[in-house]
Amino acid sequence: MIVKQRSIPLIIRQEEVLERRLPKSHPKRPTIIKSLKMRKSGFWGEQELDYPLSFLPQDQYRVFHDVRLIETNKAFQIDTLILTDHQAIILEVKNISGIIEFDSTFDQLIRKLKGREERLPNPLAQLGRQRRQLANWFSSNNFLMPIKCFVVMTHPSCVLKASEINPHQHTITHVENLQQKIINLKAENISENTLPSNINKIILNSNTPLGPIDVLKKYGIHYDDLNKGVECPRCFMSPMKWTRRRWRCSGCYFFSSDAHLRTISDYFLLGYKTINNATLRELIQHNDQAVSKYFLSKMNLQTSGHKRSLLYHSPHTL
């Protein structure tokens, strides 16, 4: 049973805003595109879990995607957490192409691709930290449960090789073998401990998604560098013009009554916590105070301040 669905990571949505809003000639644009490509590849890899996990008995397995918990003031995020009545299983997903070797001598991951050899972050080390933190989190919630872990390789061209017997070899698997790996765990020694009946509620209530970061600061980009205006939903040209209570694109002549919503969403995804009337007018390139007030009032955002100091707050958890 899927208890918590997977969603597009917020950082991907943030970088998509930068890709759309940065001028083609901006020097930071190639960096954004490269980062976005890598993050999307990772997300697509996580989606590859859906098919093998769909074959698990729905009444025996509880699946939580993208779980972020807090243990002793430190957050840890798990790609996929699977619970049975007597076990917890952590899945760390890697969508990496090439020949992959897990070197146990120096605890490192080596990739060979197109004649080049490089060291990548070792997911086994990450799994070890997640396992310890999850065990501590279980303990803080007054229950004890054995925890199993798998590194799941999802790229179709990934080739796993080992130059020696690796003590972690049973922890590493291709995605097509994942279902059987999980089922095989039932044959192992099962703890007599059981999870509380309300474990789903406990985890969902404890999940603390990461809000938007200051993505402009992260990449050293100034707000003034971004293209302003309402983008056309059809051809993406901007700015659209507000006329007769709707937006009109001068490129493809498309009309929209709510194209400004995406522009306001873009602003909050950049990491800004609040917006006021004056900022919105500059953002949508339309200097009618009454129109901007109307747009903001219809979004049901939380507000603070009064009259000229009225602020509308981001819908994202920050």
Side-chain angles (χ1 to χ4, degrees):
M1 173 177 64
I2 306 295
V3 181
K4 183 180 180 299
Q5 297 285 352
R6 182 185 298 105
S7 59
I8 298 175
L10 203 52
I11 185 62
I12 288 181
R13 295 171 59 195
Q14 289 189 273
E15 292 184 351
E16 285 177 337
V17 172
L18 288 183
E19 183 186 27
R20 286 190 290 103
R21 291 285 175 177
L22 275 178
K24 301 294 184 183
S25 59
H26 196 282
K28 292 296 179 66
R29 186 174 172 81
T31 301
I32 302 300
I33 292 175
K34 181 179 179 180
S35 175
L36 190 54
K37 181 180 179 181
M38 291 179 61
R39 294 186 190 278
K40 285 185 174 180
S41 176
F43 181 66
W44 293 334
E46 292 178 24
Q47 290 179 307
E48 291 298 311
L49 295 183
D50 295 345
Y51 184 70
L53 294 184
S54 69
F55 289 96
L56 295 175
Q58 296 296 297
D59 60 337
Q60 298 178 30
Y61 296 88
R62 302 165 182 171
V63 180
F64 302 79
H65 294 299
D66 299 328
V67 178
R68 185 174 182 266
L69 303 172
I70 306 295
E71 183 268 317
T72 60
N73 297 322
K74 291 184 179 180
F76 64 104
Q77 184 150 348
I78 297 174
D79 289 344
T80 295
L81 174 65
I82 302 175
L83 299 180
T84 69
D85 288 339
H86 303 279
Q87 285 182 326
I89 306 167
I90 298 175
L91 303 182
E92 176 64 24
V93 182
K94 294 300 175 186
N95 188 23
I96 307 173
S97 60
I99 299 174
I100 306 298
E101 179 181 346
F102 287 83
D103 176 15
S104 60
T105 303
F106 297 104
D107 291 326
Q108 60 185 345
L109 178 66
I110 301 172
R111 174 170 76 166
K112 298 177 182 178
L113 182 65
K114 297 180 180 180
R116 181 186 174 196
E117 186 172 286
E118 61 179 325
R119 175 186 176 274
L120 299 178
N122 188 356
L124 290 172
Q126 183 176 353
L127 266 183
R129 290 192 298 270
Q130 290 177 346
R131 184 175 185 172
R132 290 189 294 271
Q133 288 180 292
L134 182 60
N136 290 338
W137 186 85
F138 280 163
S139 178
S140 67
N141 283 275
N142 300 314
F143 49 86
L144 185 64
M145 189 62 49
I147 302 171
K148 302 295 183 179
C149 302
F150 290 113
V151 174
V152 186
M153 311 302 292
T154 58
H155 199 285
S157 69
C158 170
V159 177
L160 292 172
K161 284 194 173 183
S163 57
E164 57 186 9
I165 297 177
N166 193 311
H168 304 291
Q169 63 187 25
H170 299 297
T171 305
I172 306 161
T173 181
H174 287 291
V175 66
E176 59 266 28
N177 301 324
L178 177 62
Q179 178 199 357
Q180 191 59 50
K181 287 273 191 178
I182 292 174
I183 291 175
N184 288 346
L185 290 178
K186 295 191 69 175
E188 298 185 7
N189 294 329
I190 300 299
S191 170
E192 294 182 357
N193 296 319
T194 59
L195 292 168
S197 59
N198 63 338
I199 184 61
N200 293 357
K201 183 177 180 180
I202 292 174
I203 291 181
L204 292 176
N205 288 343
S206 300
N207 183 55
T208 54
L210 184 66
I213 64 171
D214 188 341
V215 72
L216 293 178
K217 182 178 180 180
K218 173 181 172 66
Y219 289 106
I221 298 171
H222 197 279
Y223 177 72
D224 292 339
D225 294 343
L226 304 179
N227 293 324
K228 308 300 191 302
V230 175
E231 287 183 332
C232 174
R234 175 180 288 177
C235 71
F236 304 108
M237 182 177 177
S238 65
M240 298 180 80
K241 300 295 183 183
W242 179 256
T243 176
R244 296 180 181 177
R245 300 182 66 83
R246 57 183 180 172
W247 295 101
R248 176 180 180 273
C249 177
S250 58
C252 68
Y253 304 106
F254 179 75
F255 287 93
S256 171
S257 61
D258 61 0
H260 58 277
L261 295 177
R262 186 184 188 186
T263 302
I264 298 173
S265 175
D266 285 352
Y267 180 83
F268 286 132
L269 283 172
L270 292 174
Y272 291 104
K273 299 181 180 181
T274 61
I275 190 170
N276 60 20
N277 193 297
T279 302
L280 178 59
R281 295 199 305 272
E282 193 269 340
L283 178 65
I284 64 177
Q285 301 286 281
H286 184 72
N287 202 33
D288 189 316
Q289 188 173 359
V291 169
S292 294
K293 181 180 180 180
Y294 173 77
F295 287 160
L296 289 169
S297 65
K298 289 296 182 180
M299 293 185 68
N300 295 319
L301 300 172
Q302 290 187 356
T303 61
S304 61
H306 184 63
K307 292 186 177 179
R308 291 188 178 182
S309 63
L310 184 63
L311 295 175
Y312 297 82
H313 292 256
S314 168
H316 302 292
T317 302
L318 295 173

